[in-house]
Amino acid sequence: MSDQNTNPRTEWPLWEIFIRGQHGMSHRHVGSLHAPDAEMAIKNARDVYTRRNEGVSIWVVEAEKITASSPSDKGPMYEPSQSKVYRHPTFFDIPDDVGAM
Amino acid sequence: MGDHLFEFLLRQGDNTLILSHRISEWCGHAPIIEEDIALANIALDLLGQTQMWLGLAAEVEGAGRSADDLAMLRDAWDFRNSILVERPNGDFGQTMMRQFLFDAYHVELLNKLVNSADERIAAIAAKSLKEVEYHVERSASTVIALGDGSEESHARMQAALDDQWTFAGELFETDAGDHALNDAGIAPLPSSLRVGFEVRAMAVLGDATLIIPETTFAHSGGRSGKRHSEHLGHLLTQMQWLQRAYPGATW
Amino acid sequence: MYAQMVKSENTDSGPELDAFQARIDAGEKIEPKDWMPAGYRKTLIRQISQHAHSEIVGQLPEGNWITRAPTLERKAILLAKVQDEAGHGLYLYCAAETLGVSRDELTEMLLDGRMKYSSIFNYPTLTWADIGAIGWLVDGAAIMNQVPLQRTSYGPYARAMVRICKEESFHQRQGYDIMMKMAQGSEAQKRMAQDALNRYWYPSLMMFGPSDKESVHSAQSMKWRIKINSNDELRQKFVDQTVPQAEYLGLTVPDDNLRLNPETGHYEFSEPDWTEFFEVLNGNGPCNKERLEARNKAWDDGQWVRDGMMAHARKKAARAAASKVAAE
């Protein structure tokens, strides 16, 4: 326990786990876990988060490496898009006679 | 051939049954939750393999016994697992070392059995192989991490290797029955698996900075059933308790 | 429940608090980086970790029978179930960690007795029927509480509960399945099943905690939506659901006062012995000592493993960094 690399009583870092399921959807955050490094994090994710056949691909990211938006920015970040209703197809009235569009 | 085949199937099923049992003893007691869950997965895989191997053994025997009968109602001398897997868990390092040595053998064996002339065996091997390829990857990386970890973990892993190495040899023991099965294209000679095992073991144990003991001695007596260790009987008294105490009951 | 007698804290006031409460009342989820009252944070940490500790300690009574399960299939089912408990502990610890505590800290508080876990796991599993009874009664009681918690106000907690509820759905069924086999089995098996019900009935009722009619903590927690139903409400629901299931098995609920009130449509039943409950919570249950000893041993014995693997990860990272420098 004396070499410099060894600092006993250090908790394994926390990793965020993202899994892509069977159906071609994008990776989705499923939870977190602890692991000493990225390779073990992937193995642990396989054992913890795919016990019920949930996934075909795993991403792991060390939790502290994630940059998150700040909740106080919620207004400026997300509200401006609320008024751009024309971005949604339901904004436009197309007569039924035109058929599927 | 029937007897040889039955014996062969018992050897597969007993190895997976007894090792699975040992690993399941860790449930709730592992060093960290992630390892607890991972160990349970390995135990569950091996238990599933046991159901297939002993199920086929029962079918081949044709004496009206089930996989459960074979697991729960035989006494120690009828078990055909190698002594390695019946040894007590020891510390986590010993468990992982035993796991790696067994996995490294197991993956070699299954890689051959997928081409067995007996389609039932080939099918079981194909399903098992996918599981065991992961087992060996995980146990190898754990052995490497702990071997090449702290001073204490290194010392413990070296002690584990020194302790287990002489029990690995039995996995490659080859008898007349093995030759008969090999001639029929059903199963490889265990002795033929040794090279692949050693290549992998040397690579992994090398990365783990561990030294393989210089001995050619190998304990034996498990796979022939001639002389198990004392540990097996104690394991069976637990595993078989309910079936023995309440004969004929359905659970 | 898995989190019993959780003391709530309420020290904040002011406009931020009003806005916070308004969000909760509007059914919004509170997320880790959002402002939250210190009391909310503290109460949640306590509640979520108590729940997590219960899952981890809860592995032990059932784990006690993994090596003695009667068939290969039962063994696989039980092992998978106890493994799920470990998983649920893990999800919950992760939810607690989003509140600014580390899992190791929480673990140490469990191990030295500063934090509690559910009283139910201090009862022994003496026969195989106990494994059935735990699945049927204990998981049945837990589900009563966990299903509504999927709508709790704290996002990470709610999401953990969604995952847990999805996975738990087989737990109660496997327990009842064991009980059915035994209730239809030999005389000895029937006796075993009845004995398990006798021993686990009242401890299961205790899981919901004492009546919280008068409890200030409960009122605060309900306002914050980290507690959804009252203890009595859930206990009544549990009894109403479970009694007919016992009857179907041909087993007798050990309560002479049990009767269906035709007017309310609910069962009337005896209260558990609350003195026993408090004794168990305070460390005097039949297995408190063994449970904590087992967890302490696992943790202490595992220290070198956790340290060793971390040491390896650091060495590997250092080597990778060095070879990158060398290549440049």
Side-chain angles (χ1 to χ4, degrees), chain B residues 17 20-21 24-25 27-38 40-41 43-44 47 50-51 54 67-68 71-72 91-94 141-142 144-150 152-153 156-157 207 235 238-243 246 249-251, chain C residues 56 59-60 63 65-77 79-80 82-83 86-90 93 103-104 128 177-178 181-182 185-186 188-189 192 294-295 297-299 301-309 311-313 315 319:
Chain B
L17 171 64
S20 160
H21 186 97
S24 77
E25 293 172 0
C27 189
H29 305 275
I32 192 162
I33 306 174
E34 284 80 358
E35 292 293 341
D36 207 294
I37 293 171
N41 275 340
L44 283 169
L47 198 50
T50 303
Q51 287 172 298
L54 293 186
D68 275 320
M72 301 295 180
D91 68 16
F92 184 77
Q94 284 173 307
S141 58
T142 308
I144 291 171
L146 290 173
D148 181 33
S150 67
E152 181 180 4
S153 73
R156 282 179 184 263
M157 293 313 283
D207 284 352
L235 185 154
Q238 270 198 26
M239 189 174 83
Q240 301 182 337
W241 154 251
L242 280 172
Q243 293 283 356
Y246 301 93
T250 322
W251 304 92
Chain C
I56 297 303
Q59 288 186 271
L60 299 171
W65 277 89
I66 290 173
T67 56
R68 288 179 288 173
T71 67
L72 298 173
E73 188 180 62
R74 287 287 180 207
K75 186 156 144 170
I77 295 169
L79 182 54
V82 181
Q83 181 196 43
H88 299 169
L90 187 151
Y93 281 128
R103 191 169 86 187
D104 279 7
W128 176 250
D177 188 56
I178 290 175
K181 273 275 172 357
M182 307 213 35
S186 67
Q189 286 177 302
M192 237 185 258
R295 285 313 309 157
K297 184 173 188 312
W299 187 249
D301 290 355
Q303 188 69 49
W304 72 269
V305 177
R306 299 189 299 275
D307 291 345
M309 291 184 72
H312 177 71
K315 280 187 191 172
R319 270 181 233 142

Side-chain angles (χ1 to χ4, degrees), chain B residues 12-24:
Chain B
Q12 309 314 313
D14 289 348
N15 269 344
T16 53
L17 171 64
I18 301 300
L19 183 56
S20 160
H21 186 97
R22 281 295 186 219
I23 306 167
S24 77

Side-chain angles (χ1 to χ4, degrees), chain B residues 88-166:
Chain B
N89 285 335
D91 68 16
F92 184 77
Q94 284 173 307
T95 292
M96 291 317 295
M97 182 59 77
R98 179 185 63 194
Q99 191 64 37
F100 168 67
L101 295 174
F102 183 78
D103 291 343
Y105 147 81
H106 204 190
V107 79
E108 292 297 321
L109 171 69
L110 293 171
N111 260 315
K112 295 288 180 334
L113 287 181
V114 292
N115 298 316
S116 171
D118 187 321
E119 283 174 15
R120 298 166 301 181
I121 292 175
I124 296 174
K127 181 166 190 311
S128 307
L129 182 58
K130 291 198 192 93
E131 298 167 345
V132 171
E133 278 173 342
Y134 177 72
H135 297 178
V136 73
E137 196 188 313
R138 187 168 180 112
S139 62
S141 58
T142 308
V143 164
I144 291 171
L146 290 173
D148 181 33
S150 67
E151 267 181 36
E152 181 180 4
S153 73
H154 174 81
R156 282 179 184 263
M157 293 313 283
Q158 185 63 55
L161 178 58
D162 294 346
D163 187 38
Q164 315 262 20
W165 184 252
T166 51

